[in-house]
Amino acid sequence: QVQLVESGGGLVQAGGSLRLSCAASGRTFSSYAMGWFRQAPGKEREFVAGISWRGGSTYYGDSVAGRFTISRDNAKNTVYLQMNNLKPEDTAVYYCAADPRGLRVGVPSEYDYWGQGTQVTVSS
């Protein structure tokens, strides 16, 4: 069982930056691949970024590649999402999730555990 709690969301102007954190409970955090997803009103949940269990491999959605960076600190049971050059279209609720298999990091149904989400709003 893994419990996930996101933090770091907020309101930022276009071009600004935010850093999201996702703190995980449980001693098996390092055995999960982790992902960030987002969902805007009226839209489907979208893959943002994923990271392998040791952090050696990272993956990004096309709309954020080059602007966002995912990382993890297994000693702190935390995964991060650094978001730079934010755009109004990045506005959404951001969720972190844990995947015990790590085979298809971009697929929401592969993730067994989800956080409650944190709101990110980018003003133009």
Side-chain angles (χ1 to χ4, degrees):
Q1 188 80 7
V2 176
Q3 292 185 325
L4 305 172
V5 179
E6 303 96 335
S7 62
L11 173 64
V12 63
Q13 290 188 333
S17 298
L18 281 175
R19 187 195 197 201
L20 305 184
S21 299
C22 174
S25 66
R27 291 176 287 182
T28 60
F29 173 76
S30 60
S31 65
Y32 288 85
M34 298 297 295
W36 286 97
F37 291 79
R38 67 186 182 186
Q39 190 164 19
K43 295 188 176 181
E44 292 187 354
R45 192 160 294 192
E46 176 189 12
F47 171 71
V48 175
I51 189 166
S52 60
W53 61 287
R54 280 188 174 179
S57 298
T58 56
Y59 312 86
Y60 297 95
D62 290 343
S63 60
V64 307
R67 299 187 297 123
F68 291 11
T69 303
I70 189 171
S71 61
R72 68 188 297 163
D73 185 339
N74 286 346
K76 295 182 178 180
N77 280 12
T78 303
V79 61
Y80 304 97
L81 185 68
Q82 177 66 44
M83 306 186 294
N84 297 330
N85 190 22
L86 282 160
K87 304 176 181 180
E89 51 264 41
D90 294 318
T91 295
V93 177
Y94 284 70
Y95 300 90
C96 71
D99 172 9
R101 291 161 293 277
L103 298 177
R104 298 188 295 169
V105 294
V107 179
S109 60
E110 291 289 308
Y111 290 78
D112 289 357
Y113 303 103
W114 291 82
Q116 297 279 25
T118 185
Q119 176 71 47
V120 172
T121 303
V122 185
S123 63
S124 57

Coordinates of all heavy atoms in Angstrom, one line a residue, residues 15-87:
G15 N 5.2 31.9 -18.2 CA 6.6 32.1 -18.2 C 7.3 31.8 -16.9 O 8.5 31.7 -16.8
G16 N 6.5 31.6 -15.8 CA 7.0 31.4 -14.5 C 7.3 29.9 -14.3 O 7.2 29.1 -15.2
S17 N 7.7 29.6 -13.0 CA 8.0 28.2 -12.7 C 7.3 27.8 -11.4 O 7.0 28.6 -10.6 CB 9.5 28.1 -12.5 OG 10.2 28.4 -13.7
L18 N 7.1 26.5 -11.3 CA 6.7 25.9 -10.1 C 7.3 24.5 -9.9 O 7.7 23.9 -10.9 CB 5.1 25.6 -10.1 CG 4.2 26.8 -9.8 CD1 2.7 26.4 -10.1 CD2 4.4 27.4 -8.5
R19 N 7.5 24.1 -8.7 CA 8.0 22.8 -8.4 C 7.0 22.0 -7.6 O 6.7 22.4 -6.4 CB 9.3 22.9 -7.6 CG 10.0 21.5 -7.4 CD 11.1 21.6 -6.4 NE 12.0 20.5 -6.5 CZ 12.8 20.2 -5.4 NH1 12.7 20.8 -4.3 NH2 13.7 19.2 -5.6
L20 N 6.5 20.9 -8.1 CA 5.6 20.1 -7.4 C 6.3 19.0 -6.7 O 7.3 18.5 -7.2 CB 4.5 19.4 -8.4 CG 3.7 20.4 -9.2 CD1 2.7 19.6 -10.1 CD2 3.1 21.5 -8.4
S21 N 5.8 18.6 -5.5 CA 6.4 17.5 -4.8 C 5.3 16.4 -4.5 O 4.1 16.8 -4.4 CB 6.9 17.9 -3.5 OG 8.0 18.9 -3.6
C22 N 5.7 15.2 -4.4 CA 4.8 14.1 -4.1 C 5.4 13.2 -3.1 O 6.4 12.6 -3.4 CB 4.4 13.3 -5.3 SG 3.4 11.8 -5.0
A23 N 4.9 13.3 -1.9 CA 5.5 12.5 -0.8 C 4.7 11.2 -0.6 O 3.5 11.2 -0.6 CB 5.4 13.3 0.5
A24 N 5.5 10.1 -0.5 CA 4.9 8.8 -0.5 C 5.1 8.1 0.9 O 6.2 8.3 1.5 CB 5.5 7.9 -1.6
S25 N 4.1 7.5 1.4 CA 4.3 6.7 2.6 C 4.6 5.3 2.2 O 4.5 4.8 1.1 CB 3.0 6.7 3.4 OG 2.0 6.0 2.6
G26 N 5.1 4.5 3.2 CA 5.5 3.1 2.9 C 6.9 2.9 2.6 O 7.6 3.8 2.1
R27 N 7.4 1.7 2.9 CA 8.8 1.4 2.7 C 9.2 0.9 1.3 O 10.3 0.6 1.1 CB 9.3 0.5 3.8 CG 9.3 1.1 5.2 CD 9.6 0.0 6.2 NE 8.5 -0.9 6.4 CZ 8.6 -1.9 7.3 NH1 9.7 -2.1 8.0 NH2 7.6 -2.7 7.4
T28 N 8.2 0.8 0.5 CA 8.5 0.2 -0.8 C 8.5 1.2 -2.0 O 8.4 0.8 -3.1 CB 7.4 -0.9 -1.2 OG1 6.1 -0.3 -1.1 CG2 7.5 -2.0 -0.1
F29 N 8.6 2.5 -1.6 CA 8.5 3.5 -2.6 C 9.5 3.3 -3.7 O 9.2 3.5 -4.9 CB 8.8 4.9 -1.9 CG 9.0 6.0 -2.9 CD1 7.8 6.6 -3.5 CD2 10.2 6.6 -3.2 CE1 8.0 7.6 -4.4 CE2 10.3 7.6 -4.1 CZ 9.2 8.2 -4.7
S30 N 10.7 2.9 -3.4 CA 11.8 2.7 -4.4 C 11.5 1.6 -5.4 O 12.2 1.5 -6.4 CB 13.1 2.5 -3.7 OG 13.1 1.3 -2.9
S31 N 10.5 0.8 -5.1 CA 10.2 -0.3 -6.1 C 9.1 0.1 -7.1 O 8.7 -0.8 -7.9 CB 9.7 -1.6 -5.3 OG 8.5 -1.3 -4.6
Y32 N 8.7 1.3 -7.0 CA 7.6 1.8 -7.9 C 8.2 2.8 -8.9 O 8.9 3.7 -8.6 CB 6.5 2.5 -7.2 CG 5.6 1.6 -6.3 CD1 6.0 1.2 -5.1 CD2 4.4 1.1 -6.8 CE1 5.2 0.4 -4.3 CE2 3.6 0.3 -6.1 CZ 4.0 -0.1 -4.8 OH 3.2 -0.9 -4.1
A33 N 7.7 2.6 -10.2 CA 7.9 3.7 -11.1 C 6.9 4.8 -10.7 O 5.8 4.4 -10.2 CB 7.6 3.2 -12.5
M34 N 7.2 6.0 -11.0 CA 6.3 7.1 -10.6 C 5.9 7.9 -11.8 O 6.8 8.1 -12.7 CB 7.0 8.0 -9.5 CG 7.3 7.2 -8.2 SD 5.8 6.6 -7.4 CE 5.0 8.2 -7.0
G35 N 4.8 8.5 -11.8 CA 4.3 9.3 -12.9 C 3.6 10.6 -12.4 O 3.1 10.6 -11.3
W36 N 3.6 11.6 -13.2 CA 2.7 12.7 -13.0 C 1.8 12.8 -14.2 O 2.1 12.6 -15.4 CB 3.6 14.0 -13.0 CG 4.4 14.3 -11.8 CD1 5.7 13.9 -11.6 CD2 3.9 14.9 -10.6 NE1 6.0 14.3 -10.3 CE2 5.0 14.9 -9.7 CE3 2.7 15.4 -10.2 CZ2 4.9 15.4 -8.4 CZ3 2.6 15.9 -8.9 CH2 3.6 15.9 -8.0
F37 N 0.5 13.1 -13.9 CA -0.5 13.2 -14.8 C -1.2 14.6 -14.5 O -1.1 15.1 -13.4 CB -1.5 12.1 -14.8 CG -1.0 10.8 -15.3 CD1 -0.2 10.0 -14.4 CD2 -1.3 10.3 -16.5 CE1 0.3 8.8 -14.9 CE2 -0.8 9.1 -17.0 CZ 0.0 8.3 -16.1
R38 N -2.0 15.0 -15.5 CA -2.8 16.2 -15.2 C -4.1 16.1 -15.9 O -4.3 15.4 -16.9 CB -2.1 17.5 -15.7 CG -1.9 17.6 -17.2 CD -1.0 18.8 -17.6 NE -0.8 19.0 -19.0 CZ 0.0 19.9 -19.6 NH1 0.7 20.7 -18.8 NH2 0.0 20.0 -20.9
Q39 N -5.1 16.8 -15.4 CA -6.4 16.8 -15.9 C -7.0 18.2 -15.8 O -7.1 18.8 -14.7 CB -7.3 15.8 -15.2 CG -8.7 15.6 -15.9 CD -9.4 14.4 -15.5 OE1 -9.1 13.8 -14.4 NE2 -10.3 13.9 -16.3
A40 N -7.4 18.8 -17.0 CA -8.0 20.1 -17.0 C -9.5 19.8 -17.1 O -10.0 18.8 -17.6 CB -7.5 20.9 -18.3
P41 N -10.3 20.8 -16.8 CA -11.8 20.7 -16.8 C -12.3 20.3 -18.2 O -11.9 20.9 -19.2 CB -12.3 22.0 -16.4 CG -11.2 22.6 -15.6 CD -9.9 22.1 -16.2
G42 N -13.1 19.2 -18.3 CA -13.6 18.8 -19.6 C -12.7 18.0 -20.5 O -13.0 17.7 -21.6
K43 N -11.5 17.7 -19.9 CA -10.5 17.0 -20.7 C -10.1 15.7 -20.1 O -10.3 15.5 -18.9 CB -9.2 17.8 -21.0 CG -9.5 19.1 -21.8 CD -8.2 19.8 -22.2 CE -8.4 21.0 -23.1 NZ -7.2 21.6 -23.4
E44 N -9.6 14.8 -20.8 CA -9.1 13.5 -20.3 C -7.8 13.7 -19.5 O -7.1 14.7 -19.7 CB -8.9 12.5 -21.4 CG -10.2 12.1 -22.1 CD -10.0 11.0 -23.1 OE1 -8.8 10.6 -23.4 OE2 -11.0 10.4 -23.7
R45 N -7.5 12.7 -18.6 CA -6.3 12.8 -17.9 C -5.1 12.6 -18.9 O -5.1 11.7 -19.7 CB -6.3 11.7 -16.8 CG -5.2 11.8 -15.8 CD -5.5 11.0 -14.6 NE -6.6 11.6 -13.8 CZ -6.9 11.3 -12.6 NH1 -6.2 10.3 -12.0 NH2 -7.9 11.8 -12.0
E46 N -4.1 13.4 -18.7 CA -3.0 13.4 -19.7 C -1.7 13.1 -19.0 O -1.4 13.6 -17.9 CB -2.9 14.9 -20.3 CG -1.7 15.1 -21.2 CD -1.5 16.5 -21.6 OE1 -2.2 17.4 -21.0 OE2 -0.7 16.8 -22.5
F47 N -0.9 12.2 -19.6 CA 0.4 11.9 -19.1 C 1.3 13.1 -19.2 O 1.5 13.7 -20.3 CB 1.0 10.7 -19.9 CG 2.4 10.4 -19.6 CD1 2.8 9.9 -18.4 CD2 3.4 10.7 -20.5 CE1 4.1 9.6 -18.1 CE2 4.8 10.4 -20.2 CZ 5.1 9.9 -19.0
V48 N 2.0 13.4 -18.1 CA 3.0 14.5 -18.1 C 4.4 14.0 -18.1 O 5.2 14.4 -18.9 CB 2.7 15.4 -16.9 CG1 3.8 16.5 -16.8 CG2 1.3 16.0 -16.9
A49 N 4.7 13.2 -17.1 CA 6.1 12.7 -17.0 C 6.1 11.4 -16.2 O 5.3 11.2 -15.3 CB 7.0 13.7 -16.3
G50 N 7.1 10.6 -16.4 CA 7.3 9.4 -15.7 C 8.8 9.1 -15.4 O 9.7 9.6 -16.1
I51 N 9.0 8.3 -14.3 CA 10.4 8.1 -13.9 C 10.5 6.6 -13.4 O 9.6 6.2 -12.7 CB 10.9 9.1 -12.9 CG1 12.4 8.9 -12.6 CG2 10.1 9.0 -11.6 CD1 13.0 10.1 -11.9
S52 N 11.6 5.9 -13.8 CA 11.8 4.6 -13.4 C 12.1 4.5 -11.9 O 12.3 5.5 -11.2 CB 12.9 3.9 -14.2 OG 14.1 4.6 -14.0
W53 N 12.1 3.3 -11.3 CA 12.1 3.1 -9.9 C 13.5 3.6 -9.3 O 13.5 4.1 -8.2 CB 11.9 1.7 -9.5 CG 12.8 0.7 -10.0 CD1 12.9 0.2 -11.3 CD2 13.8 0.0 -9.3 NE1 13.9 -0.7 -11.5 CE2 14.5 -0.9 -10.3 CE3 14.3 0.0 -8.0 CZ2 15.5 -1.8 -9.9 CZ3 15.3 -0.9 -7.6 CH2 15.9 -1.7 -8.6
R54 N 14.5 3.6 -10.1 CA 15.8 4.1 -9.6 C 16.1 5.5 -10.1 O 17.1 6.1 -9.8 CB 17.0 3.2 -10.0 CG 17.1 2.0 -9.1 CD 18.4 1.2 -9.5 NE 18.7 0.1 -8.5 CZ 19.7 -0.7 -8.6 NH1 20.6 -0.6 -9.6 NH2 19.9 -1.6 -7.7
G55 N 15.2 6.0 -11.0 CA 15.4 7.3 -11.6 C 16.3 7.3 -12.8 O 16.6 8.4 -13.3
G56 N 16.7 6.2 -13.3 CA 17.6 6.2 -14.4 C 17.0 6.5 -15.8 O 17.7 6.8 -16.7
S57 N 15.7 6.3 -15.8 CA 15.0 6.6 -17.1 C 13.8 7.6 -16.8 O 13.1 7.4 -15.8 CB 14.4 5.3 -17.7 OG 15.4 4.4 -18.0
T58 N 13.7 8.5 -17.7 CA 12.6 9.5 -17.5 C 11.9 9.6 -18.9 O 12.4 9.4 -19.9 CB 13.1 10.9 -17.1 OG1 14.1 11.3 -18.1 CG2 13.7 10.8 -15.7
Y59 N 10.6 10.0 -18.8 CA 9.7 10.0 -20.0 C 8.8 11.3 -19.8 O 8.4 11.6 -18.7 CB 8.8 8.8 -20.0 CG 9.6 7.5 -19.8 CD1 9.9 7.0 -18.6 CD2 10.1 6.8 -20.9 CE1 10.6 5.8 -18.4 CE2 10.8 5.6 -20.8 CZ 11.0 5.1 -19.5 OH 11.8 4.0 -19.3
Y60 N 8.5 11.9 -21.0 CA 7.7 13.1 -20.9 C 6.7 13.1 -22.0 O 6.9 12.6 -23.1 CB 8.6 14.3 -21.1 CG 9.6 14.5 -20.0 CD1 10.9 14.0 -20.1 CD2 9.3 15.1 -18.8 CE1 11.8 14.1 -19.1 CE2 10.2 15.3 -17.8 CZ 11.5 14.7 -17.9 OH 12.4 14.8 -16.9
G61 N 5.6 13.8 -21.7 CA 4.6 14.0 -22.7 C 5.1 15.0 -23.7 O 5.9 15.9 -23.3
D62 N 4.6 15.0 -24.9 CA 5.0 15.9 -26.0 C 4.8 17.4 -25.6 O 5.7 18.2 -25.9 CB 4.3 15.6 -27.3 CG 4.7 14.3 -27.9 OD1 5.8 13.7 -27.5 OD2 4.0 13.8 -28.8
S63 N 3.8 17.7 -24.9 CA 3.4 19.1 -24.6 C 4.3 19.7 -23.5 O 4.3 20.9 -23.4 CB 2.0 19.2 -24.2 OG 1.7 18.4 -23.0
V64 N 5.1 18.9 -22.8 CA 5.9 19.4 -21.7 C 7.4 19.1 -21.9 O 8.2 19.7 -21.1 CB 5.4 18.9 -20.3 CG1 4.0 19.1 -20.1 CG2 5.8 17.4 -20.2
A65 N 7.7 18.3 -22.9 CA 9.1 18.0 -23.1 C 10.0 19.2 -23.3 O 9.6 20.1 -24.1 CB 9.3 17.0 -24.2
G66 N 11.1 19.3 -22.6 CA 12.0 20.5 -22.7 C 11.6 21.6 -21.7 O 12.4 22.5 -21.5
R67 N 10.5 21.5 -21.1 CA 10.1 22.5 -20.1 C 10.0 21.9 -18.7 O 10.2 22.6 -17.7 CB 8.7 23.2 -20.5 CG 8.8 23.8 -21.8 CD 7.4 24.6 -22.1 NE 6.3 23.7 -22.1 CZ 5.2 23.8 -21.3 NH1 5.2 24.8 -20.4 NH2 4.2 23.0 -21.5
F68 N 9.6 20.7 -18.6 CA 9.4 20.0 -17.3 C 10.5 19.0 -17.0 O 10.9 18.4 -18.0 CB 8.0 19.3 -17.2 CG 6.8 20.2 -17.2 CD1 6.9 21.6 -17.5 CD2 5.5 19.7 -16.9 CE1 5.8 22.4 -17.5 CE2 4.4 20.5 -16.9 CZ 4.5 21.9 -17.2
T69 N 10.8 18.8 -15.8 CA 11.8 17.8 -15.4 C 11.2 17.0 -14.2 O 10.9 17.6 -13.2 CB 13.1 18.4 -15.0 OG1 13.6 19.2 -16.1 CG2 14.1 17.4 -14.7
I70 N 11.2 15.7 -14.3 CA 10.8 14.8 -13.2 C 12.1 14.2 -12.6 O 13.1 13.9 -13.2 CB 9.9 13.7 -13.7 CG1 9.3 12.9 -12.5 CG2 10.6 12.8 -14.7 CD1 8.2 11.9 -12.9
S71 N 12.0 14.1 -11.3 CA 13.1 13.5 -10.5 C 12.6 12.9 -9.3 O 11.4 13.1 -8.9 CB 14.2 14.6 -10.1 OG 13.6 15.6 -9.3
R72 N 13.4 12.1 -8.6 CA 13.0 11.4 -7.4 C 14.1 11.3 -6.4 O 15.3 11.2 -6.8 CB 12.4 10.0 -7.7 CG 13.4 9.0 -8.2 CD 12.6 7.7 -8.7 NE 11.9 7.1 -7.6 CZ 11.0 6.2 -7.8 NH1 10.6 5.8 -9.0 NH2 10.4 5.6 -6.8
D73 N 13.8 11.2 -5.1 CA 14.7 11.0 -4.1 C 14.2 9.9 -3.2 O 13.3 10.1 -2.4 CB 14.9 12.3 -3.2 CG 16.0 12.2 -2.2 OD1 16.3 11.0 -1.8 OD2 16.4 13.2 -1.7
N74 N 14.7 8.7 -3.5 CA 14.2 7.5 -2.8 C 14.4 7.5 -1.3 O 13.7 6.9 -0.5 CB 14.7 6.2 -3.4 CG 14.1 5.9 -4.8 OD1 13.1 6.5 -5.2 ND2 14.7 5.1 -5.6
A75 N 15.5 8.2 -0.9 CA 15.8 8.3 0.5 C 14.7 9.2 1.2 O 14.5 9.0 2.5 CB 17.1 9.0 0.8
K76 N 14.1 10.1 0.5 CA 13.0 10.9 1.1 C 11.6 10.5 0.7 O 10.6 11.2 1.0 CB 13.3 12.4 0.7 CG 14.5 13.0 1.2 CD 14.7 14.4 0.8 CE 15.9 15.1 1.4 NZ 16.1 16.5 1.0
N77 N 11.5 9.4 -0.1 CA 10.2 8.9 -0.6 C 9.5 10.0 -1.3 O 8.3 10.2 -1.1 CB 9.4 8.4 0.6 CG 9.8 7.0 1.0 OD1 10.8 6.4 0.6 ND2 9.0 6.3 1.8
T78 N 10.1 10.7 -2.1 CA 9.5 11.9 -2.8 C 9.9 11.9 -4.3 O 11.0 11.6 -4.6 CB 10.0 13.2 -2.1 OG1 9.6 13.1 -0.7 CG2 9.3 14.4 -2.7
V79 N 8.9 12.3 -5.1 CA 9.1 12.5 -6.5 C 8.7 14.0 -6.8 O 7.8 14.6 -6.1 CB 8.3 11.6 -7.4 CG1 6.8 11.7 -7.1 CG2 8.6 11.7 -8.8
Y80 N 9.5 14.6 -7.7 CA 9.3 16.0 -7.9 C 9.0 16.3 -9.4 O 9.3 15.5 -10.3 CB 10.6 16.8 -7.6 CG 11.1 16.6 -6.2 CD1 12.1 15.6 -6.0 CD2 10.6 17.3 -5.2 CE1 12.6 15.4 -4.7 CE2 11.1 17.2 -3.9 CZ 12.1 16.2 -3.6 OH 12.5 16.0 -2.4
L81 N 8.4 17.4 -9.7 CA 8.1 17.8 -11.0 C 8.5 19.3 -11.1 O 7.7 20.1 -10.6 CB 6.7 17.6 -11.5 CG 6.4 17.9 -12.9 CD1 7.1 17.0 -13.9 CD2 4.9 17.9 -13.2
Q82 N 9.6 19.6 -11.7 CA 10.0 21.0 -11.9 C 9.4 21.5 -13.2 O 9.6 20.9 -14.3 CB 11.5 21.1 -12.0 CG 12.0 22.5 -12.3 CD 11.7 23.5 -11.1 OE1 11.9 23.1 -10.0 NE2 11.3 24.7 -11.5
M83 N 8.6 22.5 -13.1 CA 7.9 23.1 -14.3 C 8.4 24.5 -14.6 O 8.2 25.4 -13.8 CB 6.4 23.1 -14.0 CG 5.9 21.7 -13.6 SD 4.1 21.7 -13.4 CE 3.8 22.8 -12.1
N84 N 9.0 24.6 -15.8 CA 9.5 25.9 -16.2 C 8.8 26.4 -17.4 O 8.1 25.6 -18.1 CB 11.0 25.8 -16.5 CG 11.8 25.4 -15.3 OD1 11.5 25.8 -14.2 ND2 12.9 24.7 -15.5
N85 N 8.9 27.7 -17.7 CA 8.2 28.3 -18.8 C 6.8 27.9 -18.9 O 6.3 27.4 -20.0 CB 9.0 28.0 -20.1 CG 8.5 28.8 -21.3 OD1 8.0 29.8 -21.2 ND2 8.8 28.2 -22.5
L86 N 6.1 28.1 -17.8 CA 4.7 27.6 -17.8 C 3.8 28.4 -18.8 O 4.0 29.6 -19.0 CB 4.1 27.7 -16.4 CG 4.6 26.6 -15.5 CD1 4.5 26.9 -14.0 CD2 3.8 25.3 -15.8
K87 N 2.8 27.7 -19.3 CA 1.9 28.3 -20.2 C 0.4 28.2 -19.7 O 0.2 27.3 -18.9 CB 2.0 27.6 -21.6 CG 3.4 27.6 -22.2 CD 3.4 26.8 -23.5 CE 4.8 26.7 -24.0 NZ 4.9 25.9 -25.3

